[in-house]
Amino acid sequence: MTESKRLLLIDGNSVAFRAFFALYTSLNSFTNADGLHTNAIFGFNKMLDIMLAQVKPTDALVAFDAGKVTFRTKKYADYKGGRSKTPPELSEQMPEIRRLLTARGIKSYDLPNFEADDIIGTMAKQAEQAGYTTTIFTGDRDLTQLTSATTSVAVSKKGVSEVETYTPAHVEEKLGVRPDQIIEIKGLQGDTSDNYPGVTGVGPKTAVNLIQKYGTIDGVYDHIDEITAKKMKEHLVEDKDSAFSSRDLATIRRDAPVEISLADLTYLGDQQEELVAYYQQMNFQSFLNQMSADADGDDILGLKPVSFTVLTDQNVAEVNKLSGSVSFYLEMPEANYHTSPFVGFVIGQDDNWYVSRDVELLQTPALKQLLSSQKIKKDVFDAKRTYVGLNRLNVSLDNVDFDLLLASYLLDTNENSNDLGRLAFQHGYHDIQSDEEVYGKGAKRAIPDDDQLLFEHLTRKGIAIAALKPSLFDQLETNEQSDLYRNLELPMAFVLAHMEIAGITVDTDRLSEMQSQFTELLAQTQQTIFQEAGEEFNIGSPKQLGHILFEKLGLTPLKKTKTGYSTSVDVLEKLAAEAPIVENILKYRQIAKIQSTYVEGLLKVVHSIDQKVHTRYIQTLTQTGRLSSVDPNLQNIPIRTEEGRRIRQAFIPSHEDWQIFSSDYSQIELRVLAHITHDQNLQAAFKDNEDIHASTARRIFRLAPDAEVTPNMRRQAKAVNFGIVYGISDFGLSQNIGITRKQARTFIDTYFEEYPGVKQYMEDIVASAKEKGYVETIAHRRRYLPDINARNFNQRSFAERTAMNTPIQGSAADIIKIAMIKMEDAIKDMQATMLLQVHDELIFEAPAQEIATLEKLVPSVMDSAVKLEIPLKVESHYGNTWYEAK
DNA sequence: CCGGTCACG
DNA sequence: ACGTACGTGACCGGA
C-alpha cells in the first residue's frame, strides 16, 4: 500500500477574519515598518502552524472568496446583504496572507462566481474519492456539512489556538442531525448573518425537531398535513419557496468548475529564503527566531538567546555594580502570594542579569540594600505582589518607579492579563513566553527542573519590564495619566499591601458555633422540603428543583434561563403564596449560602499562625477602577439579613481592648453625579444636607412643599436614583420596582425635567464616548468602550449605559483611593491600623483609647480627599466586632 | 469549565 | 423591533 495522503483544506477568508478579530485588541501593536497592520497575518500564521503540526499534511490548499458577486448573489440579490464592510485594516492584509502562503509552500486559489466553501467542498469530494484523509480548517460552522468518514472539519473557536474538530458523530451529537441534514435545517431556519430568511417563525429548535422527524425539507412538505400547530403550518405553506431556495443557498457546491486538481496541491513546506525575507518585512521576530531554532534543532521556541549570571553566596556582591534603574522580578508560582512557595528571582539592567532559585540571597546585604535603596529605582511587574512576597522574606522594597502590570491596566483596562509574557506580547514586545507556555497549565503545570529553562524565562521577564518602561510611560503621559499612576495607583499598591499583610482576626470559635447551628437548621429545613415535595432531591440543583416545583408540583414557571426553568429569588418570591415549600426553599438557600460561603469558606482560609484572614485586593481588574477582593472576598460579607449579618461577629480586633472602627461615605455616587453634572437642583439637595431619596421623591412626584413623602414614594425614588447612576432604561426600572414600562418612562422623563443638568450630562458623555472611544473619571482613569458604535443594538446600549455609569462609579473609586493614601499618613503615629476597604467604606482596628481621635480624624481625611462642588459626607461606627460597628 | 444563584457596593 | 439596569467573587451542580 502506498503512503496515505493527508489533505489540509483551509477557508482563507474565514480564518483570516478570525485571526484579525482574535488579535483585534493588539491591532496597533501589530504594524510593520511600512505601517501595514499585521495582526491577521500573524494570527493566520500561528493558526497555520498549529494545523500543520496537527495534520502533518502531504497536500494543502487555502481557498479564498473571489469577490462579492457569486452565483448565490445572482440567484438571490440579498445574499450576505447587510453585512458590514471588511475593515480596511484587514483588507490590506489579505494579499499579504497569500504571499505568506506561497513562502510556506502552500497553494492558494480562488474561483470567480464561487465562494471559498465551494472550492473546499469540491476538492474534499475529489479527495474522498481518491482515498485521502482530509481536514478542513475554517471559522465557519456551516462547513461541518462536509464531514464524512474520511473528512473532518476543525472550526476555530476563541483566540488563535482553540479549535473544535467535528466528525459526523460529533455533528450529530452537537446539532442533533446528520451532516447532510445541516442544509435542511438552514433551509428552514434561515441565516441572519448570510441574510436569507428560511421559514417565518422557525428557529433552530423547531427546525431540528422537524428534520429529526421528517428527514428533509421535502419530507416535511410530504407530511405537511400531519403538522398540527396551526400557525407553524401556515408559515411553512406560505414560505415554501423560501425554504427550498434557502436550502439551496446553504448548500456547498461539490462540483464547482475548478481548474486545479489534487495533483496541484502538494505541500512543499517552508521556502526558507523567501520566508525569512517575508518575516523580516513583517517584523515577525518570533517567527524568525523559531525558524533559526528549528534549524539548530534547538528547542528554545524561537526566542532570542539571553545571557545571565547565576547568583550565589560567592558572587552576590556583583549586584553592587548596578545603578540607576533595575528590573526586579520575584517568581511565586501560585496566585496567592501570601502563601505561595518561592521559585526564584531575577534582577538586573541592560546586559547584566542575575538570577537564582535561592530567594534567601535576597536577605544578603547587597541585595537587601539594593531593594530598599532610595537611590536605585526598581522596575517591577505587580508592585504589591512583589512587596508582599519580599515582606515574607523580611526584605523591604522601596523606590519602585515602574510597575508594568499597573501601568498597563491604567492604559487599557481591557488588556488586563496577569501574565507578564502575555502582557508584554500585547504591548508589542515579542521576545518572551507566557508562564503557561513555560510552566504548563492545569495538572501539568510545574516549574522546570532545568536551570537553563527557568533562568532564561526569568531573565526574559526582567528584560521585558525594562524594554517596555519607556513606551508605557510615554503613553501614560500622552493620556494625561502620569499623575494617576504616580500619585494615586502606585502609592495605593503599598497601602493595600500593608492592609493585606495586617489581615483581620477571625473568631473561629464563633464560626464553628454557627456552623453547628446552621448544620442542624439545614437538616431540619431539608426534611420539611422533602416531605412537602414527596421525595428526596438535591435542593442545590436548579435542574432538580425546577423539576419538583414546575413539573411535579405544577407551579407556574415565570421565567426561563438558557438551560431550563429559573428558580431565582425574585421568581420564588412571587410563587411563595402558591405553596409553602417555596418559602422553605428560600430559607434553605439563604442558610446554605451563609454556611458554605461564609462560615465554612472563611474557616478554610484562616491562617493558623495568626488566626487572621489575609485577603488579596486585585488592583488591576475592574473596568471602573474599583478594587476587587479575593481569597477570601471581604467585600461581600453579609449585612442585609440578620442571619447573615451575624457573620460579622466573627471579625474581631487582633488585641484585647481594641475596637473595630468603620467610616463610610454617605451617597458618594450620587454626590459624584451632582458634581460632574453640575446640576443645580441635585447640588442644592446635598448642600442643604437633605435626605436625597426623599428629595428626589418630592420632585418626581411633584409634591407640594408641605406634602408628606410616603415610604413607598421614597422607595421608588431611591430606585430611580440608582437607575440614573446605572445608565437608566425604562425597562430596567420597571423590572426593579414592579411598575409598567410606561410608568417607568414617566418617572425618568420627570426626573430629567427636574434635573436638567443630569440629562445634559448623560447626553454629552455618550456623545463624547462615541467620538473618543472612551470615558474618563475625575482622576483621568480611562475606560475604552469598543462597542459604543456597534451596529448591534444590545451591545451598543450596554456600552452607552457603561459610558454613563463608569465616570460615576470610577470617580467614587478614585476618591476613596486618594483618601486611603492620605489616611495611611494621617494615622502613621497611631496604633490604629487600616484593615479593609469595601468600595465606600474603610474599616480599622484600634485601641479603645484611640477611638475618639479616629472619630474626628478619619471623616475629616475622607471628606477632604478631593474638593468637589458639593460636600462629601462620612458616617462612622465602632464596636467590639465588625457586627457592632454599625 | 460554564451557568445559575446569591453575597456585597 | 431589538432585550437591558452598573461593578464584583464564591459556591454548587452538571456537562
Side-chain angles (χ1 to χ4, degrees), chain A residues 15 51 54-55 135-140 144 147 152-156 163-166:
Chain A
V15 171
M51 292 315 294
Q54 203 172 309
V55 177
T135 305
I136 296 169
F137 180 43
T138 175
D140 181 356
T144 54
T147 52
S152 59
V153 178
V155 183
S156 84
V163 293
E164 182 169 18
T165 303
Y166 287 83

Side-chain angles (χ1 to χ4, degrees), chain A residues 500-741:
Chain A
E500 294 177 9
I501 291 166
I504 183 164
T505 308
V506 173
D507 181 349
T508 48
D509 293 339
R510 180 78 192 93
L511 285 182
S512 302
E513 197 184 314
M514 295 173 89
Q515 188 177 28
S516 345
Q517 287 170 7
F518 286 138
T519 302
E520 198 177 322
L521 182 55
L522 282 170
Q524 284 170 8
T525 315
Q526 188 188 48
Q527 282 315 309
T528 316
I529 291 169
F530 289 166
Q531 272 169 22
E532 286 164 337
E535 67 179 282
E536 299 196 352
F537 67 101
N538 189 338
I539 307 169
S541 159
K543 193 176 166 193
Q544 294 181 33
L545 181 60
H547 172 78
I548 298 282
L549 293 180
F550 304 116
E551 285 169 25
K552 184 162 179 187
L553 302 178
L555 299 183
T556 337
L558 299 174
K559 210 166 85 180
K560 277 203 271 187
T561 67
K562 272 181 246 175
T563 50
Y565 307 112
S566 169
T567 67
S568 61
V569 210
D570 53 322
V571 172
L572 294 194
E573 275 171 354
K574 293 196 181 97
L575 294 172
E578 288 191 40
I581 190 172
V582 177
E583 197 76 55
N584 287 317
I585 287 163
L586 285 167
K587 191 79 212 161
Y588 182 90
R589 280 240 191 102
Q590 194 213 339
I591 303 300
K593 172 86 179 182
I594 297 168
Q595 177 81 313
S596 69
T597 305
Y598 298 102
V599 179
E600 291 169 351
L602 220 42
L603 280 170
K604 271 185 225 156
V605 291
V606 175
H607 291 220
S608 52
I609 321 132
D610 57 6
Q611 288 288 300
K612 288 177 171 183
V613 285
H614 300 268
T615 187
R616 278 150 42 229
Y617 289 105
I618 310 294
Q619 198 184 347
T620 54
L621 182 143
T622 71
Q623 298 298 310
T624 55
R626 275 189 175 183
L627 301 173
S628 89
S629 158
V630 295
D631 232 10
N633 180 355
L634 294 180
Q635 291 183 319
N636 71 347
I637 303 300
I639 191 165
R640 293 172 190 170
T641 67
E642 178 55 26
E643 289 96 330
R645 190 173 197 155
R646 288 202 196 108
I647 293 292
R648 294 176 176 229
Q649 293 170 342
F651 290 88
I652 58 175
S654 58
H655 298 85
E656 287 258 327
D657 301 320
W658 281 39
Q659 302 254 291
I660 299 291
F661 180 90
S662 141
S663 292
D664 65 283
Y665 282 112
S666 165
Q667 307 297 351
I668 189 163
E669 292 194 347
L670 287 172
R671 285 172 197 264
V672 167
L673 179 71
H675 171 79
I676 58 182
T677 63
H678 313 294
D679 186 278
Q680 293 307 304
N681 291 341
L682 196 54
Q683 292 200 349
F686 285 120
K687 285 175 181 164
D688 299 343
N689 197 19
E690 284 179 35
D691 171 344
I692 191 63
H693 300 315
S695 166
T696 300
R698 287 193 175 284
R699 289 188 174 273
I700 62 174
F701 292 106
R702 297 255 158 87
L703 298 182
D706 55 343
E708 191 196 350
V709 178
T710 67
N712 196 42
M713 288 175 180
R714 189 179 181 281
R715 187 183 65 83
Q716 300 206 29
K718 185 174 174 181
V720 173
N721 279 334
F722 269 97
I724 294 293
V725 169
Y726 292 158
I728 201 153
S729 75
D730 51 10
F731 183 89
L733 181 64
S734 70
Q735 284 292 298
N736 194 282
I737 52 178
I739 55 174
T740 67
R741 216 168 142 159

Side-chain angles (χ1 to χ4, degrees), chain A residues 38 287 342 413 468 512 524 537 649 822:
Chain A
T38 56
F287 285 125
F342 298 104
T413 52
L468 286 167
S512 302
Q524 284 170 8
F537 67 101
Q649 293 170 342
K822 295 188 171 180

Side-chain angles (χ1 to χ4, degrees), chain A residues 311 316-328 346-354 366-367 370 373 375-377:
Chain A
L311 276 186
V316 68
E318 276 189 39
V319 301
N320 285 324
K321 71 179 178 197
L322 299 170
S323 64
S325 293
V326 299
S327 296
F328 175 71
V346 58
I347 191 163
Q349 60 192 186
D350 305 327
D351 293 323
N352 289 319
W353 297 95
Y354 301 96
L367 277 166
L370 197 162
S373 161
K375 290 198 194 108
I376 298 180
K377 291 177 176 171

